[in-house]
Amino acid sequence: MAQSVCKVEFFTAEIPNKVGEGAMTLAALKDAGVNLVAFWGYPLGAKAKKAAIEIIPETSAGFKKIAKKAGLDVEKGVAFLIEGDDQPGAMAALLGSLAHAGINVDAVKSLRAGGGKFVAAIFVAKDDLRKAAKVLGAK
């Protein structure tokens, strides 16, 4: 299976869980010239007043300052961005190699990207980053 794995910086923020908040956040980032590799959001619990958003910008240098100007208080983390050939078991193989190495996955987001490809973001504990990078063959 042909795939590429790279370490990426991601940023997490909390926003009000109200209609249009995500759209306003994305518009502010667009206006600041930020191109996104990935973005997702979700409520923080049932009937939550807050939602979490996670952002992987194409360029993370200076993103904290841009986010602050957009009204976001972000926390930075590191994840693995994977692009590969879409086939049955692609994610099972990746997660299996991490499990075999004793690495617990904190979160994973994976989508079919079209054209026979998939893309995924895998998040592990900070203490496991170096070991996971080796297991996944991250650049």
Side-chain angles (χ1 to χ4, degrees):
M1 168 176 54
Q3 66 184 24
S4 68
V5 181
C6 61
K7 267 202 231 181
V8 294
E9 291 181 325
F10 72 93
F11 299 84
T12 304
E14 288 184 11
I15 61 173
N17 187 17
K18 297 192 310 188
V19 172
E21 289 293 328
M24 287 190 308
T25 299
L26 290 175
L29 295 176
K30 174 191 162 272
D31 291 346
V34 175
N35 192 34
L36 301 179
V37 172
F39 172 88
W40 51 88
Y42 46 90
L44 293 171
K47 298 184 182 181
K49 294 184 185 282
K50 295 276 187 179
I53 57 170
E54 295 176 355
I55 302 161
I56 301 177
E58 186 174 58
T59 304
S60 60
F63 183 78
K64 272 192 161 188
K65 285 184 183 178
I66 293 168
K68 188 171 185 169
K69 285 182 184 176
L72 297 173
D73 181 22
V74 297
E75 291 184 29
K76 182 171 76 168
V78 176
F80 297 96
L81 185 64
I82 301 158
E83 297 177 66
D85 294 334
D86 184 24
Q87 61 184 2
M91 286 304 300
L94 289 166
L95 296 180
S97 9
L98 291 168
H100 184 71
I103 299 168
N104 188 44
V105 172
D106 289 342
V108 63
K109 285 129 175 122
S110 179
L111 296 168
R112 181 182 223 176
K117 301 289 182 187
F118 79 93
V119 65
I122 295 178
F123 304 80
V124 300
K126 192 175 184 178
D127 292 344
D128 286 332
L129 283 171
R130 181 172 279 130
K131 188 175 179 182
K134 185 174 180 180
V135 168
L136 295 172
K139 297 172 188 157

